[in-house]
């Protein structure tokens, strides 16, 4: 059959296999090259790199369509994770060859889709540019960039992740036994949320149950935090003091889920999706160029969404790489994993 890439003999199955092995199973291209050579297949490393780059370029319009759809969500979960990409400008001989620390900002939409936005910095300017027209609920951890983004936007409501709050008390457990009381209270709040989820209740019932059962426990938790702050034996540098300050500083955002059934109690669903980046870092360590980092974000957006929706990523890529050249541009969203599953799987 004709190749999806001009002037190459590479079959679509090879291209899909390279992408899945590298980005789903974190097998660097040099190891794939060794495996091919062991099977008697002689393809240069540069050729394999070129196949991956050109294949991702073909998928870029699908990535953009998925990104645009996610940004229409009313509730967005956002986080950030580092990636080494591109070389620093060497001011000293010791700095030659050092890689720059850049950032992926995974953004998770209402219909269980994610896209990885790449930025050379962790500054608030990137999220301001990425979400400039967004109106709705921004669900995050306590990173101050999100506070700066939301403070001048009346159309944006902030919600905080309870799992991040819990981690502060977890760190304080060994130094102050009172932290166990906080962990027990948070566990009780979570048990109610798990019970609500397991019953698959409609939105109105979720809101009713949260207000009736969880709200008294949440109120009691923050009252306990305020009482603990009055202890004479606590100093500002204690881990428990830091945990108390963090919880009370974000009280309004932590309570936001009680008034909106669409807000999850935490961002663990997002953290599970961004795990592909640190797992990849352990395998291929860094991206040689900043363009390479952007392309990692593109392909991981599609493959991770495939996994969320139970779509076989290899089957998806084999099909979509063949369709992309003839599919109408006005209906490109049909090739995103969520829509592809409905229409073509």
């Amino acid at each position: 059959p004709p190749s999806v890439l001009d002037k190459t003999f590479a079959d679509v199955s090879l291209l899909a296999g390279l992408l899945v092995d590298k980005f789903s199973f974190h097998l660097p291209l040099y190891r794939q090259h060794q495996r091919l050579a062991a099977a008697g297949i002689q393809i240069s490393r540069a050729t394999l790199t070129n196949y991956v780059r050109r294949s991702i370029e073909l998928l870029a319009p699908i990535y953009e369509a998925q990104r645009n759809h996610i940004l229409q969500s009313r509730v967005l979960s956002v986080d950030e994770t580092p990636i080494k990409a591109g070389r620093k400008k060497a001011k000293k001989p010791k700095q030659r060859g050092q890689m720059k620390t850049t950032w992926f900002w995974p953004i998770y939409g209402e219909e269980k889709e994610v896209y990885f936005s790449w930025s050379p910095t962790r500054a608030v300017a990137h999220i301001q540019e990425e979400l400039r027209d967004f109106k709705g609920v921004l669900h995050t951890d306590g990173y101050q960039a999100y506070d700066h983004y939301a403070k001048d936007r009346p159309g944006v409501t902030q919600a905080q992740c309870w799992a991040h709050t819990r981690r502060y008390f977890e760190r304080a457990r060994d130094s102050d036994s009172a932290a166990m009381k906080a962990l027990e209270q948070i566990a009780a709040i979570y048990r109610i949320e798990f019970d609500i989820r397991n019953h698959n209740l409609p939105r109105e019932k979720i809101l009713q149950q949260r207000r009736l059962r969880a709200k008294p426990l949440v109120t009691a938790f923050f009252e306990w935090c305020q009482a603990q702050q009055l202890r004479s034996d606590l100093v500002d540098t204690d881990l428990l003091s830091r945990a108390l300050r963090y919880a009370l500083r974000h009280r309004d955002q932590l309570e936001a889920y009680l008034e909106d059934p669409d807000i999850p109690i935490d961002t663990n669903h997002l953290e599970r999706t961004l795990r592909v980046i640190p797992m990849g870092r352990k395998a291929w360590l860094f991206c040689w160029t900043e363009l390479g980092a952007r392309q990692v974000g593109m392909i991981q957006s599609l493959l991770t969404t495939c996994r969320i929706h139970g779509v076989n990523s290899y089957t998806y890529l084999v099909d979509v790489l063949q369709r992309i050249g003839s599919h109408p541009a006005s209906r490109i969203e049909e090739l995103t994993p969520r829509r592809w599953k409905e229409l073509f799987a």
Side-chain angles (χ1 to χ4, degrees):
S3 174
V4 297
L5 300 180
D6 293 336
K7 300 179 181 179
T8 176
F9 291 109
D11 182 77
V12 67
S13 62
L14 172 64
L15 303 178
L18 291 171
L19 293 173
V20 170
D21 276 358
K22 179 172 172 62
F23 297 107
S24 290
F25 299 106
H26 315 293
L27 191 66
L29 287 182
Y30 81 87
R31 292 184 193 161
Q32 296 194 52
H33 176 261
Q34 291 171 344
R35 189 171 66 171
L36 289 167
I41 302 169
Q42 301 298 325
I43 305 178
S44 73
R45 288 264 301 275
T47 299
L48 294 179
T49 302
N50 195 38
Y51 286 168
V52 169
R53 176 185 62 80
R54 292 176 65 189
S55 298
I56 296 176
E57 286 174 356
L58 283 178
L59 298 168
I62 305 175
Y63 163 81
E64 289 296 334
Q66 180 162 293
R67 171 185 176 275
N68 293 336
H69 181 260
I70 290 171
L71 291 178
Q72 295 172 19
S73 300
R74 192 182 71 84
V75 179
L76 289 181
S77 298
V78 186
D79 208 336
E80 68 287 333
T81 188
I83 182 71
K84 298 284 187 182
R87 291 190 179 189
K88 291 180 180 179
K89 291 183 179 179
K91 296 180 180 179
K92 299 178 181 178
K94 290 184 179 180
Q95 294 178 337
R96 289 176 185 168
Q98 289 186 359
M99 308 298 293
K100 293 187 288 187
T101 298
T102 64
W103 295 85
F104 281 125
W105 301 69
I107 301 178
Y108 195 106
E110 284 181 320
E111 298 196 62
K112 297 183 179 180
E113 295 173 299
V114 65
Y115 82 94
F116 291 84
S117 173
W118 177 86
S119 169
T121 72
R122 202 187 179 197
V124 66
H126 177 73
I127 208 67
Q128 288 173 335
E129 174 64 23
E130 199 69 23
L131 304 181
R132 58 184 179 276
D133 298 324
F134 173 68
K135 291 183 180 180
V137 178
L138 190 67
H139 194 204
T140 66
D141 58 16
Y143 180 39
Q144 291 182 344
Y146 304 120
D147 297 334
H148 289 303
Y149 165 78
K151 68 178 181 180
D152 297 325
R153 290 172 169 79
V156 175
T157 301
Q158 277 187 281
Q160 275 278 342
C161 168
W162 273 89
H164 281 82
T165 304
R166 184 189 181 281
R167 288 172 199 166
Y168 280 86
F169 290 100
E170 182 72 30
R171 294 170 196 152
R173 184 174 62 175
D174 294 335
S175 60
D176 196 315
S177 59
M180 279 303 301
K181 178 63 176 177
L183 294 174
E184 291 168 3
Q185 293 181 80
I186 294 173
I189 294 168
Y190 263 89
R191 280 195 292 270
I192 292 172
E193 189 64 21
F194 289 150
D195 186 52
I196 292 172
R197 288 182 193 173
N198 289 338
H199 283 84
N200 294 319
L201 300 175
R203 295 178 74 257
E204 297 78 12
K205 287 289 185 180
I206 292 174
L207 187 59
Q208 182 187 58
Q209 288 291 303
R210 283 178 174 177
R211 286 175 174 173
L212 180 66
R213 300 171 60 193
K215 192 169 185 177
L217 297 185
V218 171
T219 301
F221 168 74
F222 286 113
E223 289 174 351
W224 178 87
C225 289
Q226 290 170 337
Q228 288 296 305
Q229 278 195 320
L230 300 177
R231 282 171 45 183
S232 59
D233 60 324
L234 274 184
V235 296
D236 289 345
T237 55
D238 287 345
L239 292 176
L240 181 59
S241 290
R242 295 175 184 175
L244 294 169
R245 285 198 303 271
Y246 181 91
L248 290 170
R249 185 168 66 248
H250 297 107
R251 177 172 182 172
D252 290 343
Q253 294 98 321
L254 287 167
E255 290 179 330
Y257 91 102
L258 297 171
E259 303 301 328
D260 190 330
D262 296 327
I263 301 176
I265 193 172
D266 55 37
T267 58
N268 286 351
H269 59 293
L270 175 59
E271 293 205 4
R272 285 191 292 271
T273 62
L274 70 80
R275 200 173 295 162
V276 294
I277 302 301
M279 288 178 68
R281 284 199 305 260
K282 289 185 177 181
W284 34 259
L285 303 180
F286 57 85
C287 296
W288 192 249
T289 65
E290 294 182 355
L291 175 61
R294 289 183 188 275
Q295 290 199 325
V296 168
M298 290 180 186
I299 188 63
Q300 286 293 15
S301 299
L302 301 180
L303 295 182
T304 304
T305 302
C306 280
R307 191 177 74 249
I308 295 170
H309 285 271
V311 171
N312 183 296
S313 54
Y314 177 80
T315 304
Y316 169 78
L317 288 176
V318 167
D319 186 69
V320 164
L321 283 169
Q322 295 177 91
R323 291 182 186 273
I324 188 69
S326 57
H327 197 82
S330 60
R331 303 196 338 251
I332 196 67
E333 189 188 337
E334 294 177 352
L335 298 186
T336 61
R338 176 184 61 88
R339 296 284 286 129
W340 181 88
K341 181 180 179 180
E342 298 171 359
L343 297 171
F344 304 115

